[in-house]
Amino acid sequence: MKSTQATSEEKPLRTGYTTGACATAATKAALLSLITGEAVREVTIRLPIGQKAVFAMDEVRMDGNHARASTVKDGGDDPDATHGATIVSTVTWLREQGIEIDGGVGVGRVTKPGLPIPEGEAAINPVPRRMIRETVETVLAEHGVNRGVKVVISVPEGEVIAQKTLNARLGIIGGISILGTRGIVVPFSTAAYRASVAQAIQVAKANGCRHLVLTTGGSSEKHAMKCFPHLPEEAFIQMGDFVGFALKHAKRAGVERVSLVGMMGKFSKVAQGVMMVHSKSAAVDFGFLAAVAEEVGAPPDLVQAVREANSATHAGQLMEEAGRMSFFTRLSQLVCRQGLRHVDGGLTIETVLVKMKGELLGRAEWSGTDGETDWDRCGRERWTPPALPEMD
């Protein structure tokens, strides 16, 4: 089964399947092969969303007491690190009753608290585990077989693929996770990314982190780690475009302090109250940036140049070249204010605005606990943010 989803330009995008769906299909093929003695090359499974899906097997092998089947994961048009990975299930008869599910080569092991799987177990998430178990139970019942079964899911290239993910930071060591709550992968799925952000926050909470550093991507995270070298790795979370979502989850997790580290393009949107900062969700408002420039005392010609800038980064360059660094402090202050407003208070928000190569542009923080802002107390032009360590 292949379905499609249209973008705003009506260009069809193919949906794909999760590693959990692939593992379930391979398990069904291996078990059927073990029961019938014949290699089963194609199976149909029911996905958690209620749809049926047909999977072709790449390879099926049988050897007496066990059978092994593999399928190649098709992620559709989603840019997924596991697209094209071979997902293998080895099914073995057990002497005793019951169904055991474990991970083999290329499937990570959980080493930290905060994940939906206990420490020490294979990183096969609850929904895929349930899919595999229910599929095994159904096949055994349909064929009148009353025997115990052990299922081992493996991904031959899983350890290499995992290096492209944040699994190690989450405490998943030795390979990838077997994931999927719906069974399908929606191209460019925001739901999948939000889920990864929420999971990272839970891991940070479980490991005692009371101060989180939320960044918009890998470059800003690299700079953030230089800013806060005393914080553990779990405290650094790439929130992507989901600023508001990440802040709300941080508050829900009981975090006391959040540092937002990012660059002009996305943070200029947050400063005006936009909490989902993807380029397709909200454009840079140059009128807003010009108003901030005017507020910090920029002359009319500079204000107009900002209004006509090509990008937020360009606007920042104009202000920096003019020596108007209070512009960046003010933007940082506004990011703090909008973030606190979005979550209705309850934590301290710090904003660190950096350039592409890591140079500091502006910094501010606010808890909002006393009804008075730091910049009201200190004065916009006189206020100097605390110093940050120098960055390369």
Side-chain angles (χ1 to χ4, degrees), residues 191-254:
Y193 198 98
R194 286 199 304 266
S196 69
V197 172
Q199 187 175 74
I201 291 173
Q202 287 304 311
V203 169
K205 175 186 177 181
N207 283 275
C209 297
R210 309 292 289 180
H211 177 188
L212 298 186
V213 181
L214 305 180
T215 64
T216 52
S219 294
S220 56
E221 182 180 79
K222 179 179 68 175
H223 305 321
M225 286 181 168
K226 293 181 180 179
C227 292
F228 304 98
H230 61 287
L231 293 178
E233 190 178 43
E234 295 87 356
F236 296 88
I237 297 169
Q238 293 184 26
M239 63 181 170
D241 298 321
F242 305 101
V243 181
F245 176 87
L247 285 173
K248 285 188 174 181
H249 271 267
K251 179 181 176 181
R252 191 175 302 160

Side-chain angles (χ1 to χ4, degrees), residues 14 107 118 134 164 178 184 212 247 254 257 269 319 321 352:
R14 297 187 311 118
V107 173
E134 290 177 352
K164 303 175 184 178
I178 303 301
I184 63 170
L212 298 186
L247 285 173
R257 182 184 183 87
K269 298 177 185 180
M319 294 299 289
E321 289 168 0
V352 180

Side-chain angles (χ1 to χ4, degrees), residues 347-360:
L347 70 164
T348 296
I349 294 182
E350 175 185 28
T351 298
V352 180
L353 188 60
V354 296
K355 296 168 66 174
M356 181 62 72
K357 292 185 178 180
E359 299 96 325
L360 175 67

Side-chain angles (χ1 to χ4, degrees), residues 113-340:
L115 293 167
I117 311 149
E119 293 177 68
E121 292 194 11
I124 304 173
N125 269 22
V127 172
R129 282 179 183 271
R130 187 174 70 244
M131 290 173 66
I132 293 169
R133 182 175 297 278
E134 290 177 352
T135 296
V136 169
E137 290 172 345
T138 299
V139 170
L140 292 176
E142 288 176 347
H143 289 79
V145 176
N146 187 25
R147 300 185 68 175
V149 169
K150 181 174 183 177
V151 178
V152 177
I153 306 300
S154 56
V155 183
E157 298 298 319
E159 194 163 0
V160 174
I161 296 171
Q163 294 173 8
K164 303 175 184 178
T165 73
L166 296 176
N167 270 16
R169 183 176 304 176
L170 297 176
I172 300 170
I173 304 301
I176 67 168
S177 305
I178 303 301
L179 305 171
T181 57
R182 303 177 72 232
I184 63 170
V185 176
V186 179
F188 307 101
S189 171
T190 58
Y193 198 98
R194 286 199 304 266
S196 69
V197 172
Q199 187 175 74
I201 291 173
Q202 287 304 311
V203 169
K205 175 186 177 181
N207 283 275
C209 297
R210 309 292 289 180
H211 177 188
L212 298 186
V213 181
L214 305 180
T215 64
T216 52
S219 294
S220 56
E221 182 180 79
K222 179 179 68 175
H223 305 321
M225 286 181 168
K226 293 181 180 179
C227 292
F228 304 98
H230 61 287
L231 293 178
E233 190 178 43
E234 295 87 356
F236 296 88
I237 297 169
Q238 293 184 26
M239 63 181 170
D241 298 321
F242 305 101
V243 181
F245 176 87
L247 285 173
K248 285 188 174 181
H249 271 267
K251 179 181 176 181
R252 191 175 302 160
V255 171
E256 297 173 354
R257 182 184 183 87
V258 172
S259 295
L260 302 172
V261 181
M263 302 175 198
M264 274 292 297
K266 293 184 177 181
F267 277 16
S268 65
K269 298 177 185 180
V270 180
Q272 58 184 309
V274 177
M275 292 292 148
M276 202 296 179
V277 294
H278 192 280
S279 59
K280 292 183 179 180
S281 300
V284 174
D285 186 340
F286 293 99
F288 166 77
L289 293 178
V292 175
E294 184 176 27
E295 183 182 2
V296 298
D301 59 337
L302 181 55
V303 171
Q304 186 61 28
V306 169
R307 194 185 309 276
E308 297 173 355
N310 297 323
S311 65
T313 299
H314 182 210
Q317 289 171 345
L318 292 170
M319 294 299 289
E320 186 179 12
E321 289 168 0
R324 300 281 175 170
M325 301 308 292
S326 57
F327 172 78
F328 303 105
T329 299
R330 181 57 174 157
L331 279 178
S332 299
Q333 294 165 350
L334 291 171
V335 170
C336 295
R337 171 180 284 178
Q338 295 290 0
L340 262 294

Side-chain angles (χ1 to χ4, degrees), residues 65-150:
N65 197 45
H66 68 269
R68 166 189 166 114
S70 63
T71 188
V72 176
K73 186 195 172 201
D74 182 357
D77 288 326
D78 191 69
D80 188 332
T82 59
H83 175 69
T86 299
I87 311 297
V88 183
S89 179
T90 302
V91 176
T92 307
W93 294 125
L94 294 177
R95 293 180 181 276
E96 299 179 357
Q97 294 295 321
I99 300 172
E100 296 180 11
I101 301 173
D102 202 357
V105 173
V107 173
R109 288 273 159 185
V110 176
T111 64
K112 294 179 182 179
L115 293 167
I117 311 149
E119 293 177 68
E121 292 194 11
I124 304 173
N125 269 22
V127 172
R129 282 179 183 271
R130 187 174 70 244
M131 290 173 66
I132 293 169
R133 182 175 297 278
E134 290 177 352
T135 296
V136 169
E137 290 172 345
T138 299
V139 170
L140 292 176
E142 288 176 347
H143 289 79
V145 176
N146 187 25
R147 300 185 68 175
V149 169
K150 181 174 183 177

Side-chain angles (χ1 to χ4, degrees), residues 38 229 294 299 344-345:
E38 297 181 0
E294 184 176 27
D344 196 26

